[in-house]
Amino acid sequence: MTSLSAPLNVEFDYTRSLGPVLGRFMTGLRDRRIEGVRGDDGRVHVPPVEYDPVTARKLTEWVEVAAAGTVRSWTWVSEPDDGQPLTRPFAWALIQLDGADTSILHAVDVPSSDDIHTGMRVRVRWATDPVGSIHDIACFEPGEAVETQAGQGEAVTMVTTPVRLAYTHTASAEETRYLNGLQEGRLLGQRCPACQKVYIPPRGACPTDGVPTVDEVELPDHGTVTTFCIVNVPFLGQRIAPPYVAAYVLLDGADIAFQHLILGCDASSVRMGMRVKAVWRPRAEWQQSLANIDHFEPSGEADAPFETYSQHL
Amino acid sequence: MRDVAVVGFAQAPAVRETHGTTNGVEMLVPVFHEVLGGLGLAKSDIDFWCSGSSDYVAGRAFSFIAAVDAIGAFPPINESHVEADAAWACYEAWVKIQTGEVDVALVYGFGKSSAGKLRRVMTMQLDPYTVAPLWPDSVSVAGLQARAGLDQGIWTEQQMAEVAVRSRADAKSNPLAQVKGDVTVDDLLTRPYLADPLRKHDCAPVTDGAAALVLAAEDRARELAERPAWITGIAHRVDSANLGGRDLTTSPSTVAAARDAGFDKVDVAELHAPFTHQELLLRNALGLNGSRINPSGGALCGNPMFSAGLIRIGEAARQISGGHADRALAHATSGPALQHNLVCLMEGRD
């Protein structure tokens, strides 16, 4: 059996406070001016550092440097990736700007790896619409600095840095059987060979004994509310109007409860020990998901005695 | 100081892609079984557990908590985690034993590098303000370092290829290695660049894997191992996060860590060098003349993220416990272009 897998795209736009040092650097870039900071050993750091890398003293002496410099090292990118400065093949380079003693990492726009070498002179190609970010330097290009029209405006205090990472998420073999079972309307757990506890969803290894769980156990779609809460707070994406109940449901024969919704009754009537049964969505909508169970509702049976679930709270 | 030794080690096969989840459970269960079984220990004999892994590699939050399932954490265990190579978890475990609170610790690391595009995931290690927003990848950053050394005549592409040839030949006797076999320098140098000046053979493969190592103190170590690998020094240091402010052709932090650990001379060294030029750089920086380097094949022949550094400690310890060496050095690295480095020195006592 092949394990289920699916694309998992993780994306987040980090908004970062810049503080006085990087804020001034980014403000400079927005105004088409590059500033570094002088360290205790006299070296000028570009990009600026907040504290001296050797003495750890706070650095405050600013030095404007040129928008041109010398390539100190480079490497070639034949297949540019999402978010990089150029969409055609380019070089990454460490560039020592005139007036600086450290190098800045950025892209150099040259047609091929034959068109760049260590020691080559390059200049900044400014972005058309600077905003106060490292992307205000669109890239570097061969040549010497040229006069630019300085911009000006409010100090830059924040930068937004989007992160986009693509993964393939793979379910374990046990999770795959569980998810395939759900598509057929079945609830499949697994039993630990050491402690005999039944886990649903199955976990791959018993969290108590650390041994693989192997025996499959089919469980009924009814059980007991072990604990619950009444949701009264509205939030973004909520699909049910509050108040409603989120509860831990312990299926009969299982040793671990999972969270689900309790509907079909007044929220205030839900209680520990209440017996509930699954309400499935229409069969045509079934997927490899526990969402096939729309919610649980009271089964009408007498409440389960506390001892039957006291070890599962 | 308490005497602490490496007494056991096991690792999962280094492979390009596993079919398991990103929480490491499937890889760790057999590794724990092997290392504990080999020592005749039960999980209840372990006083402290410490792991190294990365949620960015896993693509999910708290993957190291899910990994604890592989231990079986009932009754509750004494556990910690570092978001770094598990060599740093080994350091934490060594410190924990020094406190006198615990005598036996199990250190483990895991990573399913194949779940994402590893060289892009590693961009998340870079300065998030002025560097990472441009998305330079880990292979490109290593390429900038390799070029710096080539331009200054500190190493050559020929020497880099020689490192690959020796590593792959040594890996033939490592059943868990991912890349191995006989190749020639001349052949390797005809191949295309991956990130000029790096060719494919200069770069460690993308590897899924896991490893576990057991540390024990004093008499407990003598009970558990016939020839424990006694840790005589362990230290780690870090260089500036400002890539363009570093001299990329050397590694002051490795030199400082080796000095702090009391490095003098060793029979064998396991260096965590995921790129060929980094091995040359580390050998120069440490002055490793006459020592055998990476008999396991090293990270170039299998580089499971967040356990490859721990594996260097395990492999170096194995050289001592097997009687092939009396003094060994293990090195682990983290961060871009060898930014953060750990040195662990071990010896056998007869």
Side-chain angles (χ1 to χ4, degrees), chain B residues 1-332:
Chain B
M1 296 289 267
R2 303 181 81 195
D3 272 348
V4 177
V6 177
V7 295
F9 171 64
Q11 75 166 96
V15 295
R16 176 62 181 83
E17 186 172 3
T18 53
H19 299 289
T21 60
T22 54
N23 63 29
V25 169
E26 296 93 336
M27 292 190 286
L28 287 169
V29 166
V31 168
F32 290 164
H33 185 78
E34 181 185 340
V35 76
L36 293 174
L39 295 166
L41 293 177
K43 71 179 186 192
S44 55
D45 296 318
I46 302 298
D47 305 321
F48 180 60
W49 303 75
C50 198
S51 63
S53 68
S54 164
D55 280 356
Y56 275 118
V57 169
R60 59 189 285 189
F62 293 105
S63 57
F64 68 96
I65 297 292
V68 171
D69 271 12
I71 299 172
F74 187 86
I77 57 169
N78 187 359
E79 187 265 353
S80 185
H81 174 262
V82 297
E83 195 82 2
D85 189 283
W88 275 265
C90 184
Y91 183 87
E92 181 178 339
W94 178 84
V95 171
K96 190 82 165 180
I97 294 174
Q98 292 304 333
T99 66
E101 277 186 51
V102 305
D103 293 325
V104 182
L106 189 148
V107 181
Y108 64 99
F110 64 93
K112 184 176 175 173
S113 310
S114 66
K117 185 174 184 179
L118 182 62
R119 56 193 283 186
R120 181 176 172 88
V121 169
M122 299 304 285
T123 300
M124 304 312 297
Q125 291 188 318
L126 301 172
D127 165 21
Y129 298 94
T130 64
V131 184
L134 303 172
W135 289 97
D137 63 277
S138 56
V139 178
S140 295
V141 170
L144 292 169
Q145 183 181 39
R147 170 94 55 207
L150 289 168
D151 283 343
Q152 294 174 42
I154 299 172
W155 50 75
T156 65
E157 291 187 26
Q158 165 96 14
Q159 288 173 322
M160 288 159 63
E162 284 166 3
V163 169
V165 169
R166 194 209 66 235
S167 299
R168 290 177 184 204
D170 283 335
K172 288 193 294 180
S173 54
N174 179 354
L176 303 177
Q178 179 182 356
V179 177
K180 59 181 85 176
D182 294 313
V183 282
T184 66
V185 169
D186 288 347
D187 178 40
L188 292 180
L189 290 177
T190 62
R191 305 208 184 157
Y193 289 116
L194 182 68
D196 188 348
L198 297 175
R199 297 178 173 86
K200 193 176 173 186
H201 67 256
D202 292 312
C203 310
V206 175
T207 307
D208 291 357
L213 175 148
V214 175
L215 293 179
E218 302 177 332
D219 285 346
R220 199 77 179 97
R222 284 181 274 271
E223 286 164 23
L224 288 168
E226 203 166 306
R227 195 170 198 246
W230 296 102
I231 295 175
T232 58
I234 182 168
H236 67 101
R237 290 296 195 93
V238 67
D239 289 311
S240 168
N242 185 10
L243 207 57
R246 288 168 52 195
D247 176 356
L248 294 176
T249 64
T250 186
S251 180
S253 58
T254 303
V255 174
R259 187 190 59 223
D260 288 356
F263 172 63
D264 178 15
K265 183 161 166 287
V266 292
D267 305 314
V268 63
E270 280 280 345
L271 304 176
H272 185 192
F275 298 91
T276 51
H277 69 273
Q278 293 180 344
E279 182 193 302
L280 298 165
L281 186 162
L282 291 166
R283 276 161 49 186
N284 288 344
L286 290 167
L288 283 170
N289 303 315
S291 304
R292 176 120 197 257
I293 307 293
N294 291 357
S296 65
L300 287 169
C301 297
N303 187 37
M305 293 309 299
F306 295 85
S307 60
L310 181 71
I311 290 169
R312 305 281 71 76
I313 299 175
E315 290 284 6
R318 185 177 275 169
Q319 290 292 318
I320 288 171
S321 58
H324 308 297
D326 292 327
R327 302 176 80 184
L329 178 150
H331 159 266

Side-chain angles (χ1 to χ4, degrees), chain A residues 12-30 130-136 154-162, chain B residues 128-130 133:
Chain A
F12 190 74
D13 289 350
Y14 286 87
T15 51
R16 298 181 182 276
S17 306
L18 289 167
V21 173
L22 286 167
R24 178 161 170 173
F25 178 68
M26 295 302 185
T27 302
L29 293 184
R30 196 269 321 276
V131 296
S133 104
I134 194 65
H135 287 286
D136 292 349
E154 294 289 303
V156 176
T157 59
M158 297 282 286
V159 66
T160 302
T161 58
Chain B
Y129 298 94
T130 64

Side-chain angles (χ1 to χ4, degrees), chain A residues 23-102:
Chain A
R24 178 161 170 173
F25 178 68
M26 295 302 185
T27 302
L29 293 184
R30 196 269 321 276
D31 297 342
R32 296 183 171 158
R33 179 180 73 245
I34 304 176
E35 287 187 287
V37 70
R38 193 182 301 281
D40 283 336
D41 56 3
R43 295 200 306 159
V44 174
H45 296 263
V46 180
V49 291
E50 292 165 311
Y51 299 91
D52 188 274
V54 179
T55 66
R57 198 179 65 86
K58 190 171 180 175
L59 300 180
T60 52
E61 185 188 341
W62 288 85
V63 180
E64 185 168 350
V65 300
T70 304
V71 171
R72 292 301 177 202
S73 187
W74 63 275
T75 183
W76 189 249
V77 179
S78 48
E79 292 175 27
D81 202 1
D82 183 31
Q84 292 178 343
L86 293 160
T87 53
R88 54 183 173 271
F90 68 93
W92 288 118
L94 285 169
I95 297 150
Q96 186 180 353
L97 297 173
D98 298 346
D101 294 284
T102 65

Side-chain angles (χ1 to χ4, degrees), chain A:
Chain A
M1 182 188 62
T2 312
S3 286
L4 291 172
S5 63
L8 172 67
N9 296 317
V10 178
E11 305 191 347
F12 190 74
D13 289 350
Y14 286 87
T15 51
R16 298 181 182 276
S17 306
L18 289 167
V21 173
L22 286 167
R24 178 161 170 173
F25 178 68
M26 295 302 185
T27 302
L29 293 184
R30 196 269 321 276
D31 297 342
R32 296 183 171 158
R33 179 180 73 245
I34 304 176
E35 287 187 287
V37 70
R38 193 182 301 281
D40 283 336
D41 56 3
R43 295 200 306 159
V44 174
H45 296 263
V46 180
V49 291
E50 292 165 311
Y51 299 91
D52 188 274
V54 179
T55 66
R57 198 179 65 86
K58 190 171 180 175
L59 300 180
T60 52
E61 185 188 341
W62 288 85
V63 180
E64 185 168 350
V65 300
T70 304
V71 171
R72 292 301 177 202
S73 187
W74 63 275
T75 183
W76 189 249
V77 179
S78 48
E79 292 175 27
D81 202 1
D82 183 31
Q84 292 178 343
L86 293 160
T87 53
R88 54 183 173 271
F90 68 93
W92 288 118
L94 285 169
I95 297 150
Q96 186 180 353
L97 297 173
D98 298 346
D101 294 284
T102 65
S103 296
I104 187 168
L105 194 161
H106 219 297
V108 180
D109 187 13
V110 284
S112 83
S113 58
D114 295 330
D115 300 303
I116 185 166
H117 58 269
T118 298
M120 188 166 101
R121 296 287 299 166
V122 291
R123 67 178 170 219
V124 169
R125 182 189 296 163
W126 293 103
T128 316
D129 299 308
V131 296
S133 104
I134 194 65
H135 287 286
D136 292 349
I137 299 175
C139 63
F140 282 77
E141 61 191 16
E144 295 294 340
V146 288
E147 280 293 309
T148 50
Q149 188 71 42
Q152 60 176 35
E154 294 289 303
V156 176
T157 59
M158 297 282 286
V159 66
T160 302
T161 58
V163 169
R164 306 273 181 269
L165 295 170
Y167 298 87
T168 299
H169 181 75
T170 308
S172 68
E174 298 79 16
E175 289 166 340
T176 297
R177 278 195 290 275
Y178 163 76
L179 293 168
N180 285 334
L182 282 168
Q183 187 153 42
E184 300 163 3
R186 303 169 69 203
L187 293 162
L188 301 178
Q190 284 205 318
R191 192 188 310 277
C192 169
C195 66
Q196 304 297 317
K197 284 192 165 47
V198 172
Y199 295 99
I200 184 164
R203 306 175 65 114
C206 172
T208 298
D209 297 295
V211 296
T213 53
V214 283
D215 296 334
E216 194 161 279
V217 180
E218 182 157 2
L219 295 166
D221 65 354
H222 46 265
T224 302
V225 171
T226 60
T227 185
F228 67 97
C229 75
I230 300 177
V231 179
N232 286 299
V233 181
F235 56 85
L236 190 69
Q238 197 168 35
R239 65 184 180 96
I240 302 166
Y244 61 91
V245 176
Y248 272 104
V249 175
L250 182 70
L251 296 179
D252 292 353
D255 288 288
I256 193 161
F258 55 70
Q259 199 181 330
H260 220 301
L261 295 167
I262 310 295
L263 303 176
C265 62
D266 194 65
S268 62
S269 70
V270 175
R271 57 205 176 266
M272 291 172 72
M274 184 187 232
R275 296 284 296 161
V276 292
K277 62 182 184 191
V279 177
W280 294 79
R281 289 171 187 264
R283 180 178 288 266
E285 295 175 18
W286 286 357
Q287 298 174 330
Q288 286 149 324
S289 167
L290 187 60
N292 294 352
I293 295 179
D294 185 76
H295 61 271
F296 283 79
E297 65 179 15
S299 68
E301 297 163 86
D303 283 4
F306 182 67
E307 313 81 75
T308 62
Y309 60 89
S310 63
Q311 297 302 308
H312 303 290
L313 288 169

